[in-house]
Structure formats: C-alpha cells, structure tokens
C-alpha cells in the first residue's frame, strides 16, 4: 500500500513570524488556523489496485490531497460488496489519515464534512487523539489536557449509509471473519497481534508503505 501526499498552500505554514519556542509556536498556529476540515473522499478500482483520495483543508488557505493505493485487490470481490461498505471503509480510513495533517497546526476545531459521525463515534475519536497521540504532544511540548483543546464536529449530511457498518461486519460480508490489524512494526502492533493470537482469533495484517 502506497501513499501519494499532495499539498497545495497559498503561503508557507511556517515562516519567520512563527515563534521558535514550541509551545508558543503551537499557540500561534492554532490561532492562525482555527479549523481543520475533512472535506471529501473518493475511491476507484483500477486493475488490481484500489485508489483512495482525500481532501483536507486547514483554514484559511492550506489544502491537502493525499492518496492511498491498496495493491493486489480483487476488484470483482470489491464490486460484489453491498452498497456503502467500501464508502464506509474509505471514509474511516480518511479519519485516521487526517490526523497526520491536523498535526501541522493542531487546529482547535475539526470539522468532518465527508460523512456523518454519531456522538459515540466522536467520543471515540476524541479519546484516540487524547490517549493515542501522547508521544506527539510530549515531544512537541504541547499541553493537550485542556477540555477545549480540540473538538470534533460532524456534518449532518448523511453521506455514508447508516446501514454500512452493519453490512461491513455481517457474516455474509466478511469472508472468514478475520480481524484486520494495521501493522506498523511498533510495540502497539506487536501487543495487538499477541492479544489476538492468545485469544485464538484469526487475523490479517495491513501494512502501510511496506519497505519490502
């Protein structure tokens, strides 16, 4: 699986006006770029690859257009999936992808326009940011503990079919009922795989930008 990031901005995100101190720089960038927007996503099967494209924006003037290519895909199996399943997968792939770009300014507001999130889902993503990005905040001396450090808003548009998550995990949809583990080679991946192995669960690994 390969990634092709594309960045378009009218002015550099960093310049001489950004304070050298990391905490001051974070405060400056958050004030200058108050909102991060997950605008849209799209996907297509081309040959044996599934290509997913995303549109992110940091207000007021920075845009990102990353692409992810999943290779060795059986397009016939993809086309046979119930309507909305791949949309749901790609939408959620974009949610985790957006955090890599949100980190550029740590905008205090994240607006998801590409799809709809329930309140429980927003709570889950807020917890992920707070507890899953601790190393990033620590290394960059960013105090993320304030209750209003970041909030996630979701567009009311019903872009993703509400039935998609049920279809995704139905016995008729998932062949073999395997767990799919995003594997980066770090300790979190190893611990997750060991937990699944000890529980006797069958799984496959998803590698992003494999070296071999």
């Amino acid at each position: 699986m390969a990634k092709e990031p594309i960045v378009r901005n009218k002015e550099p995100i960093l310049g001489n006006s950004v304070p050298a101190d990391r905490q001051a720089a974070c405060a400056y960038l958050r004030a200058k770029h108050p909102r991060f927007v997950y605008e849209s996503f799209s996907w297509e099967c081309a040959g044996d690859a599934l290509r997913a494209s995303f549109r992110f924006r940091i207000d007021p003037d920075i845009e990102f257009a990353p692409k992810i290519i999943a290779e060795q895909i059986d397009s016939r199996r993809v086309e046979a999936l119930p309507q909305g399943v791949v949309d749901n997968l790609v939408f959620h792939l974009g949610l985790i992808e957006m955090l890599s770009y949100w980190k550029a300014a740590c905008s205090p507001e994240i607006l998801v326009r590409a799809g709809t999130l329930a309140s429980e889902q927003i709570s889950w993503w807020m917890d992920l940011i707070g507890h899953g990005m601790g190393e990033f905040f620590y290394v960059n001396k960013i105090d993320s503990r304030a209750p209003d450090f970041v909030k996630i808003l979701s567009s009311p548009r019903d872009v993703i079919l509400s039935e998609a998550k049920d279809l995704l995990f139905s016995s008729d949809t998932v062949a073999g009922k395997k767990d799919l583990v995003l594997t980066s080679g770090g300790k979190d991946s190893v611990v997750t795989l060991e937990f699944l192995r000890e529980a006797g669960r069958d799984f496959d690994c998803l590698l992003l930008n494999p070296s071999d």
Side-chain angles (χ1 to χ4, degrees), residues 27-66:
Y28 170 86
L29 291 171
R30 283 168 57 82
K32 184 177 181 181
H33 304 285
R35 176 184 291 176
F36 180 97
V37 185
Y38 177 6
E39 289 281 9
S40 63
F41 69 89
S42 62
W43 64 271
E44 65 174 353
C45 278
D48 64 347
L50 188 149
R51 301 173 181 269
S53 302
F54 307 95
R55 305 288 301 188
F56 305 134
R57 189 180 78 250
I58 299 180
D59 283 346
D61 50 22
I62 301 175
E63 296 180 356
F64 302 96

Side-chain angles (χ1 to χ4, degrees), residues 149-160:
F149 178 75
V150 63
K151 63 180 178 180
I152 298 176
L153 303 176
S154 175
S155 170
R157 292 185 304 159
D158 190 18
V159 178
I160 305 300

Side-chain angles (χ1 to χ4, degrees), residues 2-212:
K3 296 172 65 177
E4 300 178 353
I6 302 174
V7 180
R8 299 183 179 88
N9 57 301
K10 300 177 182 178
E11 61 176 321
I13 188 170
L14 297 177
N16 295 331
S17 58
V18 178
D21 178 78
R22 291 189 178 185
Q23 290 181 325
C26 179
Y28 170 86
L29 291 171
R30 283 168 57 82
K32 184 177 181 181
H33 304 285
R35 176 184 291 176
F36 180 97
V37 185
Y38 177 6
E39 289 281 9
S40 63
F41 69 89
S42 62
W43 64 271
E44 65 174 353
C45 278
D48 64 347
L50 188 149
R51 301 173 181 269
S53 302
F54 307 95
R55 305 288 301 188
F56 305 134
R57 189 180 78 250
I58 299 180
D59 283 346
D61 50 22
I62 301 175
E63 296 180 356
F64 302 96
K67 297 180 180 179
I68 294 180
I69 303 173
E71 300 175 334
Q72 300 181 19
I73 296 294
D74 187 342
S75 59
R76 292 173 298 180
R77 294 184 64 183
V78 173
E79 293 170 357
L81 290 172
Q83 184 180 8
V85 168
V86 181
D87 282 348
N88 193 48
L89 284 170
V90 175
F91 168 61
H92 283 84
L93 184 61
L95 287 171
I96 195 65
E97 178 76 2
M98 75 177 183
L99 297 180
S100 296
Y101 299 89
W102 171 79
K103 291 189 297 184
C106 292
S107 303
E109 179 180 297
I110 297 174
L111 175 60
V112 179
R113 285 182 173 161
T116 302
L117 293 175
S119 59
E120 296 85 355
Q121 292 174 296
I122 290 177
S123 296
W124 190 92
W125 285 100
M126 289 290 293
D127 184 73
L128 177 68
I129 292 174
H131 294 91
M133 300 179 65
E135 182 178 1
F136 166 76
F137 295 137
Y138 175 79
V139 170
N140 291 281
K141 300 180 180 179
I142 298 172
D143 187 357
S144 63
R145 295 170 295 179
D148 59 348
F149 178 75
V150 63
K151 63 180 178 180
I152 298 176
L153 303 176
S154 175
S155 170
R157 292 185 304 159
D158 190 18
V159 178
I160 305 300
L161 295 178
S162 59
E163 300 87 356
K165 67 177 182 179
D166 297 325
L167 291 170
L168 178 60
F169 297 107
S170 69
S171 58
D172 295 332
T173 301
V174 182
K177 299 181 182 179
K178 292 184 178 181
D179 292 302
L180 184 63
V181 182
L182 180 59
T183 309
S184 63
K187 57 183 180 296
D188 294 335
S189 302
V190 174
V191 171
T192 301
L193 295 175
E194 284 302 312
F195 272 131
L196 291 173
R197 197 188 316 276
E198 291 177 4
R201 296 181 66 93
D202 200 5
F203 59 84
D204 278 328
C205 296
L206 174 63
L207 303 178
L208 194 61
N209 290 338
S211 56
D212 295 327

